[in-house]
Amino acid sequence: MAIKILMNSLFGVLGSPASRLFSPEVANAITRAGQHVIRRTAEAVRRAGHRVLYGDTDSLFVDIGEPDTTRAVARAEELREAISGSVAAEIARTFGCESRLELEFEKVYARFLLPELRGAAQGSKKRYAGLVAGEGGDKLEIVGLEAVRRDASAVARRFQRELLDLVFHDRPVEGFVRSFVTELRAGRFDAELVYKKALRKPLGAYTKTTPPHVKAARKLGGDAGRIVAYVITRAGPEPAGQTTAPPDYDHYVSQQLKPIADAVLRWLGGADFDEMTGARRQLSLF
């Protein structure tokens, strides 16, 4: 761990133009080496007959086709050992040096969701959800999605967590979606409609575009801090606690709940969000 911390610190020094040790060639070589190793690891996994679902800078998500989580743990450890040996041998052949890298097995997901990038076939980076298998039972884990994002409203975070919990446990979702939208429009979640977003520059510097949090901050005048808390109302964005109009529930339904729901519902093969909530009412031609 000490070596790892030292190496990470050294990379920061080598990559900083303000450092006397600044060396972009070496800094780039470090990241390129990491990319090379993770690609070789993915190739070794595929040669072993398994599917790589997703990979980022230092991790791989692998589908080994084992539905039983207890057996999956045992097989994952065997795979870790085999892949580590394969990658070490490849590094020795290519670079003529002994690999000090160790592949670590971290966890087994009983269920896993990797949303796609909009308009793309591949999954988005560091955005996924899964049901982590453990001795004390399965635990919902969410990374990078609205449920753990600070710029999402609390009602969106609640909706995503509850929806994913239902889907991962094979429970019906249509009644939940309809009921949630009905309760939202009835005002039950009014305390959870607040957005929070930071001002990146002075208010007067926003000239080309005026984002919602800037509009709300300008209504606060000199009382606006760096973090602006606001609600979308029928009169537009207004500071939280100082609204003059009722909440714009249509905004929260279409801009917060619908994208979250459709990203999950598309995998279930049934009705989409609009069909569940009755938003699509066009009659058939025949």
Side-chain angles (χ1 to χ4, degrees):
M1 180 58 71
I3 293 173
K4 178 180 178 180
I5 293 173
L6 180 60
M7 292 177 70
N8 286 340
S9 302
L10 183 60
F11 170 73
V13 169
L14 291 167
S16 173
S19 169
R20 63 190 296 179
L21 299 178
F22 177 54
S23 175
E25 294 84 0
V26 179
N28 288 334
I30 292 172
T31 56
R32 288 285 297 276
Q35 294 166 5
H36 176 81
V37 170
I38 203 70
R39 283 196 295 266
R40 298 291 84 78
T41 304
E43 290 173 2
V45 169
R46 295 186 185 102
R47 286 197 301 270
H50 303 296
R51 183 163 63 110
V52 175
L53 298 174
Y54 163 69
D56 52 36
T57 52
D58 58 0
S59 60
L60 285 179
F61 294 76
V62 180
D63 178 12
I64 62 172
E66 176 52 75
D68 184 273
T69 56
T70 301
R71 291 197 296 267
V73 170
R75 291 187 59 187
E77 187 57 40
E78 295 172 2
L79 181 63
R80 181 205 65 80
E81 186 174 349
I83 299 304
S84 291
S86 177
V87 172
E90 197 273 342
I91 289 175
R93 288 193 304 270
T94 304
F95 301 105
C97 63
E98 180 184 356
S99 173
R100 302 282 183 174
L101 300 171
E102 290 186 14
L103 187 65
E104 178 186 5
F105 162 61
E106 189 171 348
K107 66 188 72 170
V108 166
Y109 290 95
R111 307 296 293 273
F112 188 70
L113 173 69
L114 185 65
E116 294 177 356
L117 286 168
R118 291 185 181 180
Q122 74 272 20
S124 50
K125 294 294 184 181
K126 296 186 182 298
R127 284 171 51 84
Y128 55 85
L131 208 57
V132 181
E135 294 182 359
D138 296 338
K139 179 181 178 181
L140 180 63
E141 179 181 87
I142 301 175
V143 175
L145 301 178
E146 286 80 0
V148 293
R149 288 174 57 106
R150 294 181 180 179
D151 58 353
S153 63
V155 72
R157 294 195 291 269
R158 175 202 286 264
F159 180 71
Q160 188 173 62
R161 283 191 174 277
E162 293 183 11
L163 177 63
L164 286 172
D165 186 67
L166 291 173
V167 170
F168 285 151
H169 289 95
D170 295 319
R171 298 183 185 128
V173 299
E174 188 165 346
F176 162 75
V177 171
R178 282 200 303 266
S179 175
F180 198 99
V181 171
T182 299
E183 292 177 356
L184 171 67
R185 294 187 181 279
R188 178 184 170 187
F189 304 124
D190 281 4
E192 301 178 33
L193 302 181
V194 178
Y195 290 99
K196 292 182 180 180
K197 195 163 185 177
L199 293 169
R200 303 297 182 185
K201 50 189 178 182
L203 283 177
Y206 289 92
T207 56
K208 292 184 178 179
T209 60
T210 308
H213 68 297
V214 175
K215 293 180 180 179
R218 286 176 176 167
K219 293 180 180 180
L220 287 170
D223 296 330
R226 181 174 175 273
I227 305 298
V228 180
Y230 65 97
V231 176
I232 301 297
T233 73
R234 293 181 184 175
E238 295 190 308
Q242 301 183 31
T243 58
T244 62
D248 184 354
Y249 295 125
D250 287 340
H251 164 85
Y252 289 94
V253 171
S254 63
Q255 302 301 315
Q256 293 277 277
L257 304 191
K258 175 179 165 60
I260 289 173
D262 282 341
V264 176
L265 298 176
R266 66 184 302 270
W267 300 107
L268 302 183
D272 63 13
F273 181 82
D274 285 343
E275 291 169 333
M276 288 183 178
T277 58
R280 184 177 298 136
R281 297 189 180 279
Q282 179 177 344
L283 297 177
S284 170
L285 296 178
F286 304 101

Short mmCIF file of all heavy atoms in Angstrom, two decimals, residues 211-273:
data_model
loop_
_atom_site.label_atom_id
_atom_site.label_comp_id
_atom_site.label_asym_id
_atom_site.label_seq_id
_atom_site.Cartn_x
_atom_site.Cartn_y
_atom_site.Cartn_z
N PRO A 211 -28.50 28.85 -17.18
CA PRO A 211 -29.02 27.59 -16.63
C PRO A 211 -30.03 27.85 -15.52
O PRO A 211 -30.08 28.95 -14.94
CB PRO A 211 -27.75 26.90 -16.09
CG PRO A 211 -26.61 27.59 -16.77
CD PRO A 211 -27.05 29.00 -17.00
N PRO A 212 -30.84 26.85 -15.20
CA PRO A 212 -31.88 27.02 -14.18
C PRO A 212 -31.34 27.51 -12.83
O PRO A 212 -31.96 28.36 -12.19
CB PRO A 212 -32.51 25.62 -14.06
CG PRO A 212 -32.26 25.00 -15.39
CD PRO A 212 -30.94 25.53 -15.84
N HIS A 213 -30.21 26.96 -12.38
CA HIS A 213 -29.71 27.37 -11.07
C HIS A 213 -29.25 28.83 -11.06
O HIS A 213 -29.30 29.50 -10.03
CB HIS A 213 -28.59 26.44 -10.60
CG HIS A 213 -27.32 26.52 -11.37
ND1 HIS A 213 -27.23 26.20 -12.70
CD2 HIS A 213 -26.06 26.90 -11.00
CE1 HIS A 213 -25.99 26.36 -13.12
NE2 HIS A 213 -25.26 26.80 -12.10
N VAL A 214 -28.83 29.33 -12.22
CA VAL A 214 -28.44 30.73 -12.33
C VAL A 214 -29.67 31.62 -12.26
O VAL A 214 -29.67 32.67 -11.59
CB VAL A 214 -27.66 30.98 -13.63
CG1 VAL A 214 -27.36 32.47 -13.81
CG2 VAL A 214 -26.35 30.18 -13.62
N LYS A 215 -30.75 31.21 -12.93
CA LYS A 215 -32.00 31.97 -12.86
C LYS A 215 -32.49 32.06 -11.41
O LYS A 215 -32.93 33.13 -10.96
CB LYS A 215 -33.06 31.32 -13.74
CG LYS A 215 -32.76 31.38 -15.23
CD LYS A 215 -33.86 30.70 -16.04
CE LYS A 215 -33.57 30.76 -17.53
NZ LYS A 215 -34.61 30.07 -18.34
N ALA A 216 -32.42 30.93 -10.70
CA ALA A 216 -32.86 30.93 -9.31
C ALA A 216 -31.95 31.79 -8.45
O ALA A 216 -32.41 32.53 -7.57
CB ALA A 216 -32.89 29.50 -8.78
N ALA A 217 -30.64 31.73 -8.70
CA ALA A 217 -29.68 32.52 -7.92
C ALA A 217 -29.91 34.02 -8.12
O ALA A 217 -29.79 34.81 -7.18
CB ALA A 217 -28.26 32.13 -8.31
N ARG A 218 -30.24 34.43 -9.33
CA ARG A 218 -30.48 35.85 -9.60
C ARG A 218 -31.72 36.36 -8.86
O ARG A 218 -31.80 37.54 -8.50
CB ARG A 218 -30.61 36.08 -11.10
CG ARG A 218 -29.26 36.00 -11.81
CD ARG A 218 -29.39 36.12 -13.31
NE ARG A 218 -28.05 36.14 -13.92
CZ ARG A 218 -27.81 36.00 -15.22
NH1 ARG A 218 -28.83 35.82 -16.06
NH2 ARG A 218 -26.58 36.03 -15.67
N LYS A 219 -32.66 35.48 -8.61
CA LYS A 219 -33.84 35.88 -7.83
C LYS A 219 -33.49 36.08 -6.36
O LYS A 219 -34.21 36.77 -5.64
CB LYS A 219 -34.94 34.84 -7.98
CG LYS A 219 -35.52 34.76 -9.38
CD LYS A 219 -36.62 33.72 -9.50
CE LYS A 219 -37.18 33.67 -10.93
NZ LYS A 219 -38.25 32.67 -11.09
N LEU A 220 -32.38 35.46 -5.92
CA LEU A 220 -31.92 35.65 -4.55
C LEU A 220 -31.12 36.94 -4.39
O LEU A 220 -30.89 37.40 -3.27
CB LEU A 220 -31.05 34.46 -4.12
CG LEU A 220 -31.76 33.15 -3.85
CD1 LEU A 220 -30.74 32.02 -3.68
CD2 LEU A 220 -32.63 33.25 -2.60
N GLY A 221 -30.66 37.50 -5.50
CA GLY A 221 -29.86 38.72 -5.44
C GLY A 221 -28.51 38.47 -4.79
O GLY A 221 -27.81 37.50 -5.10
N GLY A 222 -28.15 39.29 -3.85
CA GLY A 222 -26.85 39.17 -3.18
C GLY A 222 -26.77 38.05 -2.18
O GLY A 222 -25.70 37.79 -1.62
N ASP A 223 -27.90 37.38 -1.92
CA ASP A 223 -27.91 36.30 -0.93
C ASP A 223 -27.52 34.95 -1.51
O ASP A 223 -27.45 33.96 -0.78
CB ASP A 223 -29.29 36.18 -0.29
CG ASP A 223 -29.67 37.44 0.48
OD1 ASP A 223 -28.75 38.09 1.00
OD2 ASP A 223 -30.87 37.74 0.56
N ALA A 224 -27.28 34.89 -2.81
CA ALA A 224 -26.95 33.61 -3.44
C ALA A 224 -25.54 33.19 -3.05
O ALA A 224 -24.58 33.95 -3.21
CB ALA A 224 -27.06 33.73 -4.96
N GLY A 225 -25.41 31.99 -2.54
CA GLY A 225 -24.09 31.45 -2.22
C GLY A 225 -23.54 30.67 -3.39
O GLY A 225 -24.06 30.73 -4.51
N ARG A 226 -22.49 29.89 -3.12
CA ARG A 226 -21.89 29.10 -4.21
C ARG A 226 -22.81 27.96 -4.61
O ARG A 226 -22.93 27.62 -5.78
CB ARG A 226 -20.53 28.56 -3.78
CG ARG A 226 -19.84 27.74 -4.86
CD ARG A 226 -18.44 27.34 -4.44
NE ARG A 226 -17.85 26.46 -5.43
CZ ARG A 226 -17.98 25.15 -5.45
NH1 ARG A 226 -18.71 24.55 -4.50
NH2 ARG A 226 -17.43 24.40 -6.38
N ILE A 227 -23.47 27.31 -3.64
CA ILE A 227 -24.40 26.21 -3.92
C ILE A 227 -25.82 26.76 -3.93
O ILE A 227 -26.28 27.33 -2.94
CB ILE A 227 -24.28 25.09 -2.88
CG1 ILE A 227 -22.83 24.58 -2.79
CG2 ILE A 227 -25.22 23.94 -3.24
CD1 ILE A 227 -22.31 23.97 -4.07
N VAL A 228 -26.50 26.59 -5.05
CA VAL A 228 -27.86 27.11 -5.20
C VAL A 228 -28.85 25.96 -5.08
O VAL A 228 -28.76 24.96 -5.80
CB VAL A 228 -28.03 27.80 -6.56
CG1 VAL A 228 -29.45 28.35 -6.69
CG2 VAL A 228 -27.01 28.91 -6.74
N ALA A 229 -29.79 26.10 -4.15
CA ALA A 229 -30.88 25.14 -3.99
C ALA A 229 -32.13 25.73 -4.61
O ALA A 229 -32.54 26.85 -4.25
CB ALA A 229 -31.11 24.83 -2.52
N TYR A 230 -32.73 25.01 -5.55
CA TYR A 230 -33.87 25.58 -6.25
C TYR A 230 -34.88 24.49 -6.61
O TYR A 230 -34.58 23.29 -6.61
CB TYR A 230 -33.42 26.31 -7.52
CG TYR A 230 -32.80 25.43 -8.58
CD1 TYR A 230 -33.56 24.96 -9.65
CD2 TYR A 230 -31.47 25.04 -8.50
CE1 TYR A 230 -33.00 24.16 -10.64
CE2 TYR A 230 -30.91 24.23 -9.47
CZ TYR A 230 -31.67 23.79 -10.53
OH TYR A 230 -31.11 22.97 -11.49
N VAL A 231 -36.09 24.95 -6.94
CA VAL A 231 -37.19 24.06 -7.35
C VAL A 231 -37.72 24.56 -8.69
O VAL A 231 -37.78 25.77 -8.93
CB VAL A 231 -38.32 24.09 -6.29
CG1 VAL A 231 -39.51 23.24 -6.76
CG2 VAL A 231 -37.81 23.60 -4.95
N ILE A 232 -38.06 23.61 -9.56
CA ILE A 232 -38.70 23.99 -10.82
C ILE A 232 -40.19 24.14 -10.57
O ILE A 232 -40.87 23.17 -10.21
CB ILE A 232 -38.46 22.94 -11.93
CG1 ILE A 232 -36.95 22.77 -12.16
CG2 ILE A 232 -39.15 23.37 -13.21
CD1 ILE A 232 -36.24 24.00 -12.67
N THR A 233 -40.69 25.35 -10.73
CA THR A 233 -42.11 25.64 -10.51
C THR A 233 -42.76 26.02 -11.84
O THR A 233 -42.09 26.13 -12.87
CB THR A 233 -42.29 26.78 -9.50
OG1 THR A 233 -41.93 28.03 -10.13
CG2 THR A 233 -41.43 26.57 -8.27
N ARG A 234 -44.04 26.27 -11.80
CA ARG A 234 -44.75 26.70 -13.01
C ARG A 234 -44.32 28.11 -13.45
O ARG A 234 -44.62 28.52 -14.56
CB ARG A 234 -46.25 26.66 -12.77
CG ARG A 234 -46.78 25.23 -12.59
CD ARG A 234 -48.27 25.22 -12.38
NE ARG A 234 -48.76 23.86 -12.12
CZ ARG A 234 -50.02 23.57 -11.80
NH1 ARG A 234 -50.91 24.56 -11.69
NH2 ARG A 234 -50.38 22.32 -11.58
N ALA A 235 -43.62 28.80 -12.56
CA ALA A 235 -43.08 30.12 -12.90
C ALA A 235 -41.60 30.02 -13.27
O ALA A 235 -40.92 31.03 -13.39
CB ALA A 235 -43.27 31.09 -11.74
N GLY A 236 -41.11 28.78 -13.42
CA GLY A 236 -39.69 28.60 -13.74
C GLY A 236 -38.89 28.24 -12.50
O GLY A 236 -39.46 27.96 -11.43
N PRO A 237 -37.55 28.24 -12.59
CA PRO A 237 -36.70 27.91 -11.44
C PRO A 237 -36.83 28.99 -10.36
O PRO A 237 -36.71 30.18 -10.65
CB PRO A 237 -35.29 27.89 -12.03
CG PRO A 237 -35.47 27.84 -13.51
CD PRO A 237 -36.76 28.51 -13.81
N GLU A 238 -37.07 28.56 -9.13
CA GLU A 238 -37.18 29.50 -8.01
C GLU A 238 -36.38 28.95 -6.83
O GLU A 238 -36.27 27.74 -6.65
CB GLU A 238 -38.63 29.70 -7.62
CG GLU A 238 -39.47 30.37 -8.69
CD GLU A 238 -40.84 30.78 -8.18
OE1 GLU A 238 -41.54 29.91 -7.60
OE2 GLU A 238 -41.19 31.93 -8.36
N PRO A 239 -35.82 29.85 -6.01
CA PRO A 239 -35.04 29.40 -4.84
C PRO A 239 -35.89 28.54 -3.91
O PRO A 239 -37.06 28.84 -3.67
CB PRO A 239 -34.63 30.72 -4.17
CG PRO A 239 -34.76 31.76 -5.24
CD PRO A 239 -35.88 31.31 -6.12
N ALA A 240 -35.30 27.47 -3.40
CA ALA A 240 -36.01 26.60 -2.47
C ALA A 240 -36.40 27.38 -1.22
O ALA A 240 -35.60 28.15 -0.68
CB ALA A 240 -35.13 25.41 -2.09
N GLY A 241 -37.64 27.22 -0.79
CA GLY A 241 -38.14 27.93 0.38
C GLY A 241 -38.67 29.30 0.08
O GLY A 241 -39.22 29.97 0.97
N GLN A 242 -38.51 29.76 -1.17
CA GLN A 242 -39.00 31.10 -1.55
C GLN A 242 -39.81 31.04 -2.84
O GLN A 242 -39.78 31.97 -3.64
CB GLN A 242 -37.83 32.07 -1.69
CG GLN A 242 -36.99 32.24 -0.44
CD GLN A 242 -35.89 33.27 -0.62
OE1 GLN A 242 -36.04 34.24 -1.37
NE2 GLN A 242 -34.78 33.08 0.08
N THR A 243 -40.51 29.95 -3.04
CA THR A 243 -41.26 29.79 -4.29
C THR A 243 -42.54 30.62 -4.26
O THR A 243 -43.14 30.82 -3.20
CB THR A 243 -41.60 28.31 -4.52
OG1 THR A 243 -42.36 27.81 -3.41
CG2 THR A 243 -40.33 27.48 -4.66
N THR A 244 -42.93 31.08 -5.44
CA THR A 244 -44.15 31.87 -5.58
C THR A 244 -45.23 31.13 -6.37
O THR A 244 -46.33 31.65 -6.53
CB THR A 244 -43.84 33.21 -6.29
OG1 THR A 244 -43.35 32.93 -7.61
CG2 THR A 244 -42.80 34.00 -5.52
N ALA A 245 -44.88 29.98 -6.91
CA ALA A 245 -45.80 29.20 -7.73
C ALA A 245 -45.70 27.73 -7.33
O ALA A 245 -44.70 27.30 -6.73
CB ALA A 245 -45.47 29.38 -9.21
N PRO A 246 -46.71 26.93 -7.64
CA PRO A 246 -46.66 25.50 -7.31
C PRO A 246 -45.60 24.78 -8.14
O PRO A 246 -45.19 25.26 -9.20
CB PRO A 246 -48.06 25.00 -7.65
CG PRO A 246 -48.62 26.00 -8.60
CD PRO A 246 -48.01 27.32 -8.25
N PRO A 247 -45.14 23.64 -7.66
CA PRO A 247 -44.12 22.88 -8.41
C PRO A 247 -44.61 22.47 -9.79
O PRO A 247 -45.80 22.21 -9.98
CB PRO A 247 -43.88 21.64 -7.52
CG PRO A 247 -44.34 22.04 -6.16
CD PRO A 247 -45.48 22.99 -6.38
N ASP A 248 -43.69 22.42 -10.73
CA ASP A 248 -44.00 21.95 -12.08
C ASP A 248 -43.83 20.43 -12.09
O ASP A 248 -42.77 19.91 -12.41
CB ASP A 248 -43.06 22.60 -13.09
CG ASP A 248 -43.40 22.23 -14.52
OD1 ASP A 248 -44.29 21.38 -14.72
OD2 ASP A 248 -42.77 22.78 -15.44
N TYR A 249 -44.90 19.72 -11.73
CA TYR A 249 -44.81 18.27 -11.63
C TYR A 249 -44.52 17.61 -12.98
O TYR A 249 -43.85 16.58 -13.03
CB TYR A 249 -46.10 17.71 -11.03
CG TYR A 249 -46.35 18.15 -9.61
CD1 TYR A 249 -47.54 18.78 -9.24
CD2 TYR A 249 -45.39 17.92 -8.62
CE1 TYR A 249 -47.77 19.18 -7.93
CE2 TYR A 249 -45.61 18.33 -7.30
CZ TYR A 249 -46.80 18.96 -6.98
OH TYR A 249 -47.01 19.36 -5.68
N ASP A 250 -45.02 18.22 -14.06
CA ASP A 250 -44.72 17.66 -15.38
C ASP A 250 -43.22 17.62 -15.64
O ASP A 250 -42.71 16.67 -16.24
CB ASP A 250 -45.41 18.50 -16.47
CG ASP A 250 -46.91 18.29 -16.51
OD1 ASP A 250 -47.37 17.26 -15.99
OD2 ASP A 250 -47.62 19.17 -17.04
N HIS A 251 -42.51 18.63 -15.19
CA HIS A 251 -41.05 18.65 -15.35
C HIS A 251 -40.42 17.46 -14.64
O HIS A 251 -39.57 16.76 -15.21
CB HIS A 251 -40.47 19.96 -14.80
CG HIS A 251 -38.99 19.90 -14.57
ND1 HIS A 251 -38.06 20.15 -15.56
CD2 HIS A 251 -38.26 19.58 -13.45
CE1 HIS A 251 -36.85 20.01 -15.08
NE2 HIS A 251 -36.93 19.65 -13.81
N TYR A 252 -40.80 17.23 -13.39
CA TYR A 252 -40.18 16.15 -12.61
C TYR A 252 -40.53 14.78 -13.17
O TYR A 252 -39.71 13.86 -13.15
CB TYR A 252 -40.57 16.28 -11.14
CG TYR A 252 -39.91 17.46 -10.47
CD1 TYR A 252 -40.55 18.68 -10.40
CD2 TYR A 252 -38.62 17.36 -9.96
CE1 TYR A 252 -39.94 19.78 -9.81
CE2 TYR A 252 -38.00 18.44 -9.37
CZ TYR A 252 -38.66 19.66 -9.30
OH TYR A 252 -38.04 20.75 -8.73
N VAL A 253 -41.75 14.65 -13.69
CA VAL A 253 -42.15 13.38 -14.28
C VAL A 253 -41.36 13.11 -15.56
O VAL A 253 -40.80 12.02 -15.76
CB VAL A 253 -43.66 13.35 -14.56
CG1 VAL A 253 -44.03 12.11 -15.38
CG2 VAL A 253 -44.44 13.36 -13.25
N SER A 254 -41.28 14.11 -16.44
CA SER A 254 -40.67 13.89 -17.76
C SER A 254 -39.14 13.98 -17.74
O SER A 254 -38.48 13.28 -18.50
CB SER A 254 -41.22 14.91 -18.76
OG SER A 254 -40.88 16.23 -18.38
N GLN A 255 -38.58 14.82 -16.87
CA GLN A 255 -37.14 15.05 -16.88
C GLN A 255 -36.39 14.26 -15.82
O GLN A 255 -35.17 14.06 -15.95
CB GLN A 255 -36.84 16.54 -16.70
CG GLN A 255 -37.46 17.43 -17.76
CD GLN A 255 -37.01 17.06 -19.16
OE1 GLN A 255 -35.83 16.84 -19.39
NE2 GLN A 255 -37.97 16.98 -20.09
N GLN A 256 -37.06 13.81 -14.79
CA GLN A 256 -36.41 13.06 -13.72
C GLN A 256 -36.83 11.59 -13.71
O GLN A 256 -36.00 10.70 -13.79
CB GLN A 256 -36.70 13.72 -12.37
CG GLN A 256 -36.08 15.09 -12.20
CD GLN A 256 -34.63 15.03 -11.76
OE1 GLN A 256 -34.33 14.90 -10.58
NE2 GLN A 256 -33.72 15.12 -12.71
N LEU A 257 -38.13 11.34 -13.61
CA LEU A 257 -38.59 9.96 -13.47
C LEU A 257 -38.52 9.17 -14.78
O LEU A 257 -38.07 8.02 -14.79
CB LEU A 257 -40.02 9.92 -12.92
CG LEU A 257 -40.29 10.66 -11.60
CD1 LEU A 257 -41.69 10.29 -11.10
CD2 LEU A 257 -39.24 10.36 -10.55
N LYS A 258 -38.99 9.75 -15.86
CA LYS A 258 -39.07 9.02 -17.13
C LYS A 258 -37.71 8.51 -17.62
O LYS A 258 -37.60 7.32 -17.97
CB LYS A 258 -39.73 9.90 -18.20
CG LYS A 258 -39.76 9.28 -19.60
CD LYS A 258 -40.45 10.19 -20.59
CE LYS A 258 -40.18 9.78 -22.03
NZ LYS A 258 -40.64 8.42 -22.33
N PRO A 259 -36.64 9.32 -17.67
CA PRO A 259 -35.35 8.79 -18.13
C PRO A 259 -34.83 7.65 -17.25
O PRO A 259 -34.26 6.68 -17.75
CB PRO A 259 -34.41 10.01 -18.07
CG PRO A 259 -35.32 11.19 -18.13
CD PRO A 259 -36.57 10.78 -17.42
N ILE A 260 -35.05 7.78 -15.95
CA ILE A 260 -34.61 6.73 -15.03
C ILE A 260 -35.36 5.44 -15.30
O ILE A 260 -34.78 4.35 -15.37
CB ILE A 260 -34.81 7.19 -13.57
CG1 ILE A 260 -33.81 8.28 -13.21
CG2 ILE A 260 -34.68 6.00 -12.60
CD1 ILE A 260 -34.06 8.90 -11.84
N ALA A 261 -36.68 5.56 -15.43
CA ALA A 261 -37.51 4.37 -15.63
C ALA A 261 -37.20 3.69 -16.96
O ALA A 261 -37.02 2.46 -17.01
CB ALA A 261 -38.98 4.75 -15.56
N ASP A 262 -37.16 4.46 -18.05
CA ASP A 262 -36.98 3.85 -19.36
C ASP A 262 -35.61 3.19 -19.51
O ASP A 262 -35.46 2.22 -20.27
CB ASP A 262 -37.18 4.89 -20.46
CG ASP A 262 -38.67 5.17 -20.71
OD1 ASP A 262 -39.49 4.32 -20.31
OD2 ASP A 262 -39.00 6.22 -21.29
N ALA A 263 -34.58 3.69 -18.81
CA ALA A 263 -33.26 3.06 -18.86
C ALA A 263 -33.30 1.65 -18.29
O ALA A 263 -32.49 0.79 -18.67
CB ALA A 263 -32.24 3.90 -18.09
N VAL A 264 -34.27 1.39 -17.40
CA VAL A 264 -34.41 0.06 -16.79
C VAL A 264 -35.48 -0.75 -17.50
O VAL A 264 -35.30 -1.93 -17.81
CB VAL A 264 -34.76 0.20 -15.29
CG1 VAL A 264 -35.01 -1.17 -14.67
CG2 VAL A 264 -33.66 0.94 -14.54
N LEU A 265 -36.62 -0.12 -17.79
CA LEU A 265 -37.77 -0.84 -18.35
C LEU A 265 -37.50 -1.42 -19.72
O LEU A 265 -38.09 -2.44 -20.10
CB LEU A 265 -38.99 0.09 -18.41
CG LEU A 265 -39.50 0.63 -17.08
CD1 LEU A 265 -40.65 1.60 -17.30
CD2 LEU A 265 -39.94 -0.52 -16.17
N ARG A 266 -36.59 -0.81 -20.49
CA ARG A 266 -36.31 -1.30 -21.83
C ARG A 266 -35.76 -2.73 -21.82
O ARG A 266 -35.86 -3.45 -22.80
CB ARG A 266 -35.33 -0.38 -22.55
CG ARG A 266 -33.94 -0.34 -21.95
CD ARG A 266 -33.06 0.68 -22.67
NE ARG A 266 -32.98 0.39 -24.09
CZ ARG A 266 -32.06 -0.38 -24.63
NH1 ARG A 266 -31.13 -0.94 -23.87
NH2 ARG A 266 -32.04 -0.61 -25.93
N TRP A 267 -35.18 -3.13 -20.68
CA TRP A 267 -34.61 -4.48 -20.58
C TRP A 267 -35.66 -5.51 -20.17
O TRP A 267 -35.40 -6.71 -20.23
CB TRP A 267 -33.46 -4.50 -19.58
CG TRP A 267 -32.34 -3.59 -19.96
CD1 TRP A 267 -32.00 -2.40 -19.38
CD2 TRP A 267 -31.40 -3.78 -21.02
NE1 TRP A 267 -30.92 -1.85 -20.02
CE2 TRP A 267 -30.53 -2.68 -21.03
CE3 TRP A 267 -31.21 -4.80 -21.97
CZ2 TRP A 267 -29.49 -2.55 -21.94
CZ3 TRP A 267 -30.18 -4.67 -22.88
CH2 TRP A 267 -29.33 -3.56 -22.86
N LEU A 268 -36.83 -5.04 -19.70
CA LEU A 268 -37.85 -5.97 -19.21
C LEU A 268 -38.78 -6.46 -20.31
O LEU A 268 -39.52 -7.42 -20.11
CB LEU A 268 -38.66 -5.30 -18.10
CG LEU A 268 -37.86 -4.82 -16.89
CD1 LEU A 268 -38.80 -4.25 -15.82
CD2 LEU A 268 -36.99 -5.93 -16.30
N GLY A 269 -38.77 -5.77 -21.45
CA GLY A 269 -39.55 -6.24 -22.59
C GLY A 269 -41.03 -5.97 -22.50
O GLY A 269 -41.80 -6.49 -23.31
N GLY A 270 -41.46 -5.16 -21.54
CA GLY A 270 -42.88 -4.86 -21.42
C GLY A 270 -43.18 -3.42 -21.76
O GLY A 270 -42.58 -2.83 -22.65
N ALA A 271 -44.13 -2.84 -21.03
CA ALA A 271 -44.54 -1.46 -21.27
C ALA A 271 -43.43 -0.50 -20.85
O ALA A 271 -42.66 -0.78 -19.93
CB ALA A 271 -45.81 -1.15 -20.48
N ASP A 272 -43.38 0.66 -21.53
CA ASP A 272 -42.43 1.69 -21.13
C ASP A 272 -43.11 2.65 -20.16
O ASP A 272 -44.27 2.47 -19.78
CB ASP A 272 -41.84 2.42 -22.35
CG ASP A 272 -42.90 3.17 -23.16
OD1 ASP A 272 -44.03 3.34 -22.66
OD2 ASP A 272 -42.59 3.58 -24.28
N PHE A 273 -42.40 3.69 -19.77
CA PHE A 273 -42.89 4.60 -18.75
C PHE A 273 -44.18 5.29 -19.19
O PHE A 273 -45.15 5.39 -18.41
CB PHE A 273 -41.81 5.65 -18.44
CG PHE A 273 -42.20 6.64 -17.38
CD1 PHE A 273 -42.07 6.33 -16.04
CD2 PHE A 273 -42.68 7.89 -17.73
CE1 PHE A 273 -42.42 7.26 -15.06
CE2 PHE A 273 -43.04 8.82 -16.76
CZ PHE A 273 -42.90 8.50 -15.42
#
